Every structure is written in structure tokens, then in C-alpha cells.
Amino acid sequence: MGKNEREENGFDPENHNQEEEEKKQLKEEEHSVERIFENQEVPSWRKQLTVRAFVVSFVLSILFSIIVMKLNLTTGIIPSLNVSAGLLGFFFVKTWTKLLHKSGLLRQPFTRQENTVIQTCVVASSGIAFSGGFGTYLFAMSERIAKQSTDTLDFKKLSLGWIIGFLFIVSFLGLFSVVPLRKIMIIDFKLTYPSGTATAHLINSFHTPQGAKLAKKQVRELGKFFTFSFLWGFFQWFYTAGENCGFASFPSLGLKAFDNEFYFDFSATYVGVGMICPYIINISVLLGGIISWGLMWPLIEDRKGDWYPADLGPGSFSGIQGYKVFIAIAMILGDGLYNFLKVLSRTFLGLFHQLRYKDVSSEPPVADHSSDVSSQSQLSYDDRRRTQLFLKDQIPIMFAVGGYVAIAAISMATLPHIFHQLKWYYILVIYIFAPTLAFCNAYGCGLTDWSLASTYGKLAIFTIGAWAGAAHGGVLAGLAACGVMMNIVSTASDLMQDFKTGYLTLASPRSMFVSQIIGTAMGCVISPCVFWLFYKAFDDLGQPGSQYPAPYAVVYRSMVLLAVKGFSSLPKNCLLLCYVFFGAAILINLIKDLVGKKWGRFIPLPMAMAIPFYIGSYFAIDMCLGSLILFVWEKINKAKADALAPAVASGLICGEGIWTLPASILALAGVKPPICMKFLSRGNNAKVDAFLGS
């Protein structure tokens, strides 16, 4: 059918295309977020940085640093707290502005940009509690952890002063390393950064009338379960006057299961963590506990006297403890290596496609301005508005480069004074490669939402530890190098996540950058102080079987000992088992990717399976209970569960987490709980039976 025939039959292609375009625009306007805020003025970047925002950020930073520290020192599993930070930031400032509005003193309304500044500052600050290494590389340097390993000489006495100084030196470099790439990552490559995008949608919804009502309900639920969790922690404290006392030592699944670390320890925190973590993570942790404590360790212990000397204590690395730690390390390294190569390959493949697409799109001999106009016209209203404001407040490239060089020079001059084993040329090599690794981590995080900061840290452990060697303090050099690398790549990916959140909420990149710097500075002081409170309050901190075993500290020290000394100290067949589980971790990940998302979501995660290999499965029971609660809730009312479950979980985590602060203060003051509620052990049962029989 020709053009004239179509027009005679009443079909005009030009009018049809115009109608389709109009329908498309109407549909976009219906779903447009920025149309809702069209009449609201976007404050300048300086006005987004308010005093009240940083006061609230400081209070929330203390709260979240305590929570992250507790999780760090117990299991090392830390869920994303971005939603909680955004929600609590909204609640506190909204309450503040309401009171000021009623008294007639309100000068500046609370905007979503200010909400984003608070969330950025809090996450940056509490992030130092993780990247600062208080449960990993930094605590692994201490004498407490050294006494548990085969090398008891290479340790550094912990001091609050040098810890704060170290963090101030190494925590800011990552921020300057990726600032010049923000336009490429966010606008050109259009990376999703799922956590940053989800946080932005949450903040945007809070500041609409309907979203504000939902936020009130969420805050009410969070407050309710926060109170319950806090009071439950207080109640449990009364019954913990001695060792192995209280509800946390109740053999809920039987004495045999209790001996093999299978019991419910009544922790509201890990029930909440289980509600936030995906089902597959919780199942993976439980499966890892069953394989290790249910099968492997009992079988290996039966070979005592053959595989390792029978007279060794349970904490010796030449005995059963060596199998627990090094097999867990093998799985962690196998999983980390696979995902490192996977993300790296996706990064380079993505870059190749981006650059190729850019080259192809620039081939037609059309004037540059017309192509720019056409590309802008193809963008939705939201994208045009966001891009315009995102590019408005530039951060000069020379400022970023100059900042990186200046901080690197200061680091090379000062770090060898804190760690004399860490030579200036080790630091120089790290800083030469750091921007590339920071970019890879930030790009990979944008694709997968997975930060591999700890994997890059382990890379530094093996590289610098082996380079330095045992004779030249390779243990402390490797651990310190791990800290330098982890802080760079972790803060780089965090900043890019925040830029994505700011892009979607129209917050200025400058306000995001300043908020990240202020939050990082807060974290460099708050996190060491919180750790010091734990360190002084609990004499058994870092000991196996204690309330805060800090399992990853032993794992990181064991890694650096492997790098420095090799495999000669491992017990019989331990290396063979390490190879098997290293290969199994890679194979499981490969199968998971090959079968696709439909079936891959049912395959466990080796990294999560490895955690209970060393510390036991008690927390896995808590987390699976959290999953079960969420599963039943979703079956009863999915909409309500989706809306309120994150708030309920955050309340459970925050309440018991905050109780650790007064509990630590009471311990420092020498105030002990009044009652020791001790449940009968297998040994005590035998004594009772003997007494009754006589």
C-alpha cells in the first residue's frame, strides 16, 4: 500500500506519529517524579548543608556506629542500613521543623535535598566502623588476637590516639580518586547503583503527601520494636552475672546440638538482620553451619591423634581450630576471587561497549549541536531536569587531583611512623594502583550493587605481606596495607552511590561531597571511640565463645600469616581440604551464574556458608527465624510486609544495638548483673545423676 493509498484510507503517518509521541509524553508525565516537585525551588548547594542536618547526622552516626560495631564484633554480617538512616533522618528533622513551625521560628523548610545530605553523612560516618577494620585487619594487629595464632610476637599495642590518626590519614583518599568520573559513571554510563537508587526513591516518596503518611507508620513501627528490643536486651542482662549464663546460653535444641553451636540465642538483633537479608543468604549460613559443625568437625575430631596431636587445646591452630579457620578462609578467597574476576570482566566489557557505542554514535557526519539537541529531546523530563542540576555545580578536576596527591604525600610521610614495618615505597605502590582499583570497585558496584572492598584488602594483604616477608614485619605491614586499600576502594564506591542518590533527588554533587567528607571525619572519631568502649568494657573481646568473638580478626591474621610463612604450619590434610573447598566455592558460583536467575536464586552463596565454619550456627537460627517471620507476613499481607518489614527489622536491630552502650558503661563502672541463670550442661547433668544415684 503506497503513501497516497494510506492517506485516502484515512491514515496519515505524520499525525499518527505525533499522536503516539503525545501519548508517550502523557504517560511519562503520569509517572514523572520531578513533575510532583516542579513548583518547589531547589535550594543552592550551600543551603542544603544546614546546621540541623549535621546535628541530626552526628546523633544518628553514634547510633549506627554502635550497631555496626556490634555486628562487626559478633558475626561480621552487616546489612544495608541506608533505609534506616533515611527514615530516621526524615523523622528527626520533620519533628524539629514541626515544632519550629508551630512556634513561628521556622526559617527554612525541610527538603528532600537536606534529607539526602543527612543520609549521606550518616552512612559515610557509620561506614568507617566497617572499613576501619575494628572487627578485621586493625583488631587482628592486637596482642589479644596474636595470642590465638601461631605467631604471638608480631603485634601492635592498640591505642585510641594512633587509631584515630591512622583513619584520618587513609579515609579521605578514596573520595578524591573518583570525583572526576562522576559524570561518566552517572550520566554517560547510566549505572544503576541499586542501593543508591532505592534510597533516592525512598527519600522522594517521604516528601510527597502520600509518602509522608507511610513514613509516619514506618516510624511508629520502628519506635515500637526499638523499645521492645531495648527492653529485651535490658531484661536479658539481669541473668548474665557469670560465664555461659542467661538466655543466650539456653540449649534450646538440646545439649548435643548446643555443644555443636546449634541453638537459638534469643538475639533480637539477628532476627532483625534475618528480616533484611535475602532468604538465600540466611539459608546459606544455616547450610554452612550444618556442613561444618554438624558433619565435618565431629568427623575430624574423631581423627584426633592421627591428623593432629590429641593433647592440643581447642584453640590451637595446629589442631581443630586450624581446620575451622583455614577452610573458612579457602571458601572466602574462592568466592572473592570468582566475584572479583566476574565483576572485573563485566567492568571491562561494559567499558568496551560504552566506548564502542560512543564511537559508533559519533560516526554520522551531522553537526554536533544538532545531535546534542536531538539527544536531549529524547530524554524524559525527569532525566533532563536531573542532568541539568547535576552538571550545574562542578567540582574542579584539579581540586580532586591536587587533593589526592596532597593526601598521598602526607600518608607516605606519616604512616611509616605509625607502622614502621610499612615502608613508604609500599604505600607509593598502593597509591599508584589505588585509583584504578577504586574505579573498578565503583563501576562494579554500579552494575551489581556489590562492593568488593574486603577482597581488594585481602589482595593487599597477600601482596605486601609476601613482599615484606616474616623477617621484616610482614604481618603488620600486610594488615596495615589492607587498611589503606580497603578505605580507598570502600569510600570510592560509597561516594558514587551517594552521587546517584543525589542525582535522583536533585541534591548538588558539591553538597554530597561536603557531606561525605564531614561524615567521614565524624566516623574517624566516633567509630574508634565506640570500639574503645567495647575494648575496655569486655576483657574477653575477641576470644572464641565470648559475647564478642570478632571472628574475622582471626581470619585476617591467619591470611597474612599464610602470605608471610606459607602452608607449613597447617595440620595434616588441612591444605587438601582447603583446595577442595576453594574449588567448590568457585564451582558453586559458576553453576549459579550458568543456570540463570530463575534457578540460580536457589543455589547457596559460598561466602555466607563460610561464616559459621569458624563461629558456629547459633546466629543462623536467629536469622532463619527472621526469614520465617517475614515469609509468613508476606503470605498474610504482602503489601503491608513490603512497607513495614524494613522498619520492624531496623527497630529490632537498633534497640538491642543501643542497649550495648549502657551495658558497656555499666561494665566499665564495675556494675555486674545480679543473677546468673545457668542451664545444665552435659557435665553438670552427669554430676547430678551421680549424686541422685548415690
Side-chain angles (χ1 to χ4, degrees):
M1 187 183 286
K3 180 181 177 182
N4 292 335
E5 288 179 87
R6 288 199 300 270
E7 287 177 355
E8 283 172 12
N9 291 331
F11 179 80
D12 186 347
E14 291 182 5
N15 287 337
H16 177 73
N17 289 338
Q18 190 174 352
E19 285 173 10
E20 288 294 321
E21 195 66 34
E22 285 175 1
K23 284 180 183 177
K24 188 179 176 182
Q25 287 178 359
L26 286 170
K27 194 173 181 180
E28 281 179 1
E29 286 184 15
E30 282 178 12
H31 295 90
S32 172
V33 173
E34 297 308 327
R35 292 284 184 193
I36 300 170
F37 300 102
E38 195 173 14
N39 296 323
Q40 293 182 13
E41 182 186 356
V42 178
S44 66
W45 71 272
R46 286 188 176 87
K47 288 185 177 179
Q48 293 173 24
L49 303 167
T50 62
V51 174
R52 70 187 177 199
F54 291 115
V55 170
V56 169
S57 297
F58 181 75
V59 174
L60 291 179
S61 293
I62 295 173
L63 167 67
F64 283 101
S65 294
I66 293 169
I67 293 163
V68 172
M69 194 67 68
K70 181 184 177 182
L71 297 173
N72 235 339
L73 296 172
T74 47
T75 63
I77 298 176
I78 303 168
S80 174
L81 298 172
N82 292 25
V83 171
S84 306
L87 180 61
L88 287 172
F90 173 81
F91 169 69
F92 279 121
V93 180
K94 200 69 177 174
T95 305
W96 186 336
T97 53
K98 269 190 177 181
L99 292 172
L100 289 177
H101 181 71
K102 287 179 181 178
S103 60
L105 299 173
L106 182 63
R107 295 181 181 178
Q108 185 176 340
F110 181 42
T111 63
R112 56 192 174 130
Q113 289 79 26
E114 189 179 356
N115 203 158
T116 307
V117 165
I118 293 170
Q119 187 269 336
T120 298
C121 189
V122 172
V123 171
S125 179
S126 59
I128 300 296
F130 165 70
S131 62
F134 300 103
T136 53
Y137 64 85
L138 191 140
F139 194 29
M141 301 176 187
S142 69
E143 187 177 5
R144 288 190 193 181
I145 302 301
K147 285 179 179 177
Q148 298 178 43
S149 69
T150 55
D151 175 48
T152 58
L153 299 176
D154 290 328
F155 63 86
K156 185 173 179 63
K157 187 178 179 181
L158 296 184
S159 164
L160 190 59
W162 75 255
I163 293 173
I164 292 174
F166 171 72
L167 290 177
F168 266 106
I169 292 167
V170 301
S171 296
F172 295 91
L173 204 71
L175 303 179
F176 290 90
S177 64
V178 293
V179 163
L181 303 172
R182 64 187 181 86
K183 178 181 177 294
I184 295 170
M185 300 282 220
I186 305 299
I187 295 175
D188 295 345
F189 290 173
K190 292 182 173 59
L191 297 177
T192 53
Y193 290 100
S195 290
T197 300
T199 305
H201 289 323
L202 183 79
I203 291 171
N204 283 333
S205 71
F206 285 163
H207 294 267
T208 61
Q210 188 178 359
K213 288 179 183 177
L214 177 60
K216 281 182 182 177
K217 290 181 182 177
Q218 289 173 325
V219 169
R220 196 179 301 121
E221 291 299 312
L222 190 148
K224 190 190 302 179
F225 283 90
F226 175 94
T227 305
F228 163 76
S229 180
F230 183 88
L231 293 175
W232 175 241
F234 178 52
F235 175 73
Q236 286 192 87
W237 175 80
F238 272 96
Y239 301 96
T240 55
E243 288 186 13
N244 301 319
C245 294
F247 288 91
S249 299
F250 177 62
S252 49
L253 301 177
L255 289 171
K256 186 66 177 175
F258 183 80
D259 290 341
N260 287 288
E261 302 292 329
F262 279 95
Y263 59 94
F264 175 56
D265 73 342
F266 295 89
S267 170
T269 297
Y270 280 101
V271 173
V273 170
M275 291 180 71
I276 291 178
C277 289
Y279 293 128
I280 191 61
I281 288 181
N282 300 330
I283 296 298
S284 299
V285 171
L286 183 61
L287 181 61
I290 292 169
I291 291 171
S292 56
W293 290 86
L295 295 173
M296 288 183 60
W297 306 156
L299 289 173
I300 291 174
E301 283 180 336
D302 287 343
R303 284 157 179 77
K304 186 190 297 182
D306 179 17
W307 284 19
Y308 60 93
D311 57 345
L312 291 176
S316 173
F317 273 74
S318 297
I320 188 66
Q321 191 77 346
Y323 295 98
K324 292 176 184 178
V325 171
F326 289 106
I327 292 174
I329 289 173
M331 288 192 74
I332 291 168
L333 290 177
D335 186 273
L337 178 65
Y338 178 87
N339 284 291
F340 173 73
L341 295 175
K342 174 185 167 183
V343 172
L344 201 65
S345 62
R346 287 188 64 179
T347 299
F348 287 129
L349 193 64
L351 279 171
F352 173 74
H353 283 304
Q354 293 283 357
L355 295 171
R356 186 182 178 190
Y357 176 78
K358 194 172 181 181
D359 290 341
V360 171
S361 64
S362 61
E363 280 178 8
V366 183
D368 290 337
H369 294 292
S370 63
S371 64
D372 288 343
V373 170
S374 64
S375 64
Q376 283 290 323
S377 64
Q378 290 172 4
L379 294 173
S380 66
Y381 173 80
D382 284 5
D383 288 338
R384 289 198 303 273
R385 177 96 167 125
R386 288 163 178 167
T387 302
Q388 177 192 0
L389 288 168
F390 190 74
L391 297 176
K392 181 184 173 185
D393 295 323
Q394 294 288 339
I395 300 172
I397 292 177
M398 288 309 298
F399 170 76
V401 174
Y404 186 89
V405 172
I407 295 173
I410 292 168
S411 297
M412 284 190 288
T414 54
L415 281 179
H417 291 284
I418 300 175
F419 304 101
H420 67 268
Q421 301 88 347
L422 189 66
K423 306 301 181 185
W424 67 268
Y425 45 87
Y426 298 158
I427 304 167
L428 177 62
V429 170
I430 291 172
Y431 286 165
I432 288 171
F433 289 100
T436 304
L437 298 178
F439 166 76
C440 290
N441 193 45
Y443 189 94
C445 190
L447 291 172
T448 64
D449 205 31
W450 197 328
S451 174
L452 296 175
S454 59
T455 304
Y456 288 104
K458 295 180 189 96
L459 183 66
I461 280 180
F462 283 100
T463 305
I464 303 300
W467 185 2
H472 299 91
V475 172
L476 290 179
L479 291 170
C482 173
V484 175
M485 183 64 78
M486 265 185 73
N487 277 281
I488 292 171
V489 297
S490 177
T491 51
S493 62
D494 288 348
L495 178 63
M496 208 53 72
Q497 286 269 21
D498 292 332
F499 277 148
K500 183 68 177 185
T501 305
Y503 170 78
L504 295 170
T505 58
L506 303 190
S508 168
R510 285 189 185 180
S511 67
M512 292 289 92
F513 185 72
V514 172
S515 179
Q516 185 90 15
I517 285 182
I518 293 173
T520 302
M522 284 182 186
C524 289
V525 177
I526 293 171
S527 291
C529 290
V530 170
F531 171 74
W532 203 246
L533 186 65
F534 278 85
Y535 187 69
K536 289 296 183 182
F538 302 101
D539 293 332
D540 60 353
L541 183 75
Q543 297 297 320
S546 68
Q547 187 179 357
Y548 300 105
Y552 276 107
V554 175
V555 167
Y556 272 65
R557 188 169 184 90
S558 302
M559 283 183 191
V560 76
L561 287 172
L562 276 180
V564 172
K565 296 185 175 182
F567 302 107
S568 58
S569 61
L570 297 181
K572 186 179 178 181
N573 294 322
C574 183
L575 185 59
L576 175 62
L577 289 171
C578 288
Y579 286 144
V580 170
F581 279 87
F582 180 86
I586 294 174
L587 184 63
I588 291 168
N589 275 302
L590 185 63
I591 293 170
K592 191 178 181 71
D593 286 336
L594 289 176
V595 298
K597 288 184 179 179
K598 184 178 179 181
W599 298 106
R601 61 198 176 99
F602 298 111
I603 296 175
L605 301 168
M607 183 76 77
M609 289 173 66
I611 297 168
F613 270 55
Y614 173 58
I615 59 173
S617 305
Y618 59 91
F619 68 95
I621 309 293
D622 304 345
M623 291 172 67
C624 285
L625 179 61
S627 280
L628 180 63
I629 292 168
L630 181 62
F631 179 78
V632 173
W633 194 358
E634 285 179 338
K635 289 295 180 185
I636 296 169
N637 190 334
K638 190 172 189 329
K640 194 172 182 180
D642 290 342
L644 299 179
V648 170
S650 299
L652 291 172
I653 295 168
C654 295
E656 197 174 60
I658 285 301
W659 165 246
T660 58
L661 180 60
S664 302
I665 293 170
L666 288 171
L668 281 173
V671 179
K672 292 185 176 181
I675 304 167
C676 176
M677 185 170 69
K678 206 173 186 75
F679 300 97
L680 291 178
S681 66
R682 191 171 295 277
N684 286 335
N685 271 346
K687 291 177 184 177
V688 171
D689 290 341
F691 173 76
L692 292 174
S694 64

